């Protein structure tokens, strides 16, 4: 589902990604861990071309993302073409980014209405079903300001699912939450994993990565230091840098 080959990305003179390779198979949950500034979030944003790569190839479900390749050279697509590719890639951010003037249901309905031109009745039915799925059956007509952080993040997940994506990206989805609200968001993500959704998750929740992840990659200084089965990597990391990081966070 995801094939990243030799991904490089710099911001000015700062090289943030230094040749990242990662493969995620359909139905897998791939978790990325590592210190702040290691390139995890930038890499995630490269998957759906929110950040343009400087070198390498990024494919989702076999399609080259953001570029066409002719004669061994990459030519960037128009933004409208990239937007069509993003329809199949849902993304959940650290901050919920909900529209404050819209109810929970209206937030979830917005993309199907404007992008897919669905009827309002169909979009409303889909939104209600998705809010049920994330445990918010009683919050359809509630505004974001009236919701807890965990509830807002669950609305954001429902909103991402409304476009029926083939791939879900999560960028530290619990980092902005009070500790007591983290569990309710992770429970929703566990449910998605159990349903077979392909997911790439940037997270500090090592327990979640070990429990739910099919693969775990540790990133540092723009590279994947090591990757493998989450249970093995957490309990018996091969690299000294990985051991030093895990010793601080476990």
């Amino acid at each position: 589902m995801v094939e990243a080959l030799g991904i490089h990305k710099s911001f000015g003179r700062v090289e943030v990604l230094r040749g990242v390779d990662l493969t995620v198979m359909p139905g897998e949950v791939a978790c990325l861990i590592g210190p702040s500034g290691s390139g995890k979030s930038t890499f995630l944003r490269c998957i759906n071309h929110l950040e343009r790569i400087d070198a390498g190839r990024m494919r989702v479900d076999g399609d080259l993302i953001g570029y066409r390749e002719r004669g061994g050279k990459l030519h960037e697509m128009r933004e409208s073409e990239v937007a069509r590719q993003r329809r199949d890639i849902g993304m959940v951010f650290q901050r919920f980014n909900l529209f404050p003037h819209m109810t929970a249901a209206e937030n979830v309905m917005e993309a199907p209405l404007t992008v897919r031109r669905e009827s309002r009745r169909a979009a409303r039915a889909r939104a209600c079903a998705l809010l049920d799925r994330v445990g918010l059956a009683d919050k359809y007509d509630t505004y974001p300001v009236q919701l807890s952080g965990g509830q807002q993040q669950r609305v954001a997940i429902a909103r991402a699912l409304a476009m029926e994506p083939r791939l879900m990206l999560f960028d530290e989805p619990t980092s902005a939450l009070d500790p007591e609200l983290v569990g309710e968001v992770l429970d929703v993500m566990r449910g998605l994993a159990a349903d077979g959704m392909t997911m790439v998750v940037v997270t500090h929740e090592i327990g979640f990565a070990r429990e739910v992840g099919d693969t775990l990659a540790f990133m540092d200084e723009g590279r994947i230091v090591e990757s493998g089965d989450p249970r093995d990597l957490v309990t018996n990391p091969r690299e000294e840098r990985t051991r030093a990081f895990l010793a601080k966070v476990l």
Side-chain angles (χ1 to χ4, degrees), residues 183-241:
E184 62 191 51
V185 174
L186 294 181
D187 284 344
V188 171
M189 295 170 66
R190 288 186 184 96
L192 292 176
D195 290 342
M197 174 63 74
T198 309
M199 299 158 59
V200 182
V201 184
V202 172
T203 184
H204 293 299
E205 302 292 337
I206 306 298
F208 172 84
R210 180 166 45 192
E211 173 195 351
V212 179
D214 295 293
T215 61
L216 178 62
F218 170 66
M219 289 188 67
D220 189 40
E221 297 184 347
R223 297 185 176 92
I224 292 180
V225 176
E226 67 176 298
S227 62
D229 181 276
R231 276 64 62 182
D232 293 340
L233 193 148
V234 170
T235 57
N236 190 29
R238 299 184 303 274
E239 302 295 330
E240 177 59 34
R241 181 66 186 95

Side-chain angles (χ1 to χ4, degrees), residues 139 141-148 151-152:
K139 303 295 183 183
D141 298 314
T142 303
Y143 288 91
V145 72
Q146 300 169 301
L147 299 172
S148 71
Q151 290 170 335
Q152 290 185 60

Side-chain angles (χ1 to χ4, degrees), residues 12 14 30 45 48 53 58 69 111 181 217 234 240 247:
V14 179
R45 292 169 65 86
N48 64 357
I53 64 175
M58 182 71 75
E69 189 168 8
L181 302 178
V234 170
E240 177 59 34

Side-chain angles (χ1 to χ4, degrees), residues 72-87:
K73 294 184 178 181
L74 296 182
H75 301 269
E76 191 164 4
M77 292 179 174
R78 295 190 298 270
E79 182 58 33
S80 60
E81 296 174 302
V82 178
R84 281 195 290 272
Q85 291 184 320
R86 290 194 188 115
R87 294 179 189 180

Side-chain angles (χ1 to χ4, degrees), residues 21 25 74 156 160 177 209 233 241 250:
D21 297 324
M25 300 301 291
L74 296 182
L177 300 178
L233 193 148
R241 181 66 186 95
L250 291 178

Side-chain angles (χ1 to χ4, degrees), residues 52-121:
R52 292 169 173 81
I53 64 175
D54 297 326
R57 301 289 188 275
M58 182 71 75
R59 289 183 171 84
V60 173
D61 205 12
D63 296 328
L64 195 64
I65 298 298
Y67 298 92
R68 289 191 181 87
E69 189 168 8
R70 299 193 191 100
K73 294 184 178 181
L74 296 182
H75 301 269
E76 191 164 4
M77 292 179 174
R78 295 190 298 270
E79 182 58 33
S80 60
E81 296 174 302
V82 178
R84 281 195 290 272
Q85 291 184 320
R86 290 194 188 115
R87 294 179 189 180
D88 294 324
I89 306 172
M91 188 162 186
V92 178
F93 300 88
Q94 296 178 36
R95 297 291 174 178
F96 324 123
N97 298 329
L98 300 178
F99 296 113
H101 63 289
M102 294 182 178
T103 65
E106 289 169 342
N107 267 279
V108 179
M109 293 166 61
E110 182 65 12
L113 285 173
T114 59
V115 177
R116 286 189 169 180
R117 306 295 184 187
E118 284 188 2
S119 70
R120 193 163 188 84
R121 175 178 293 180

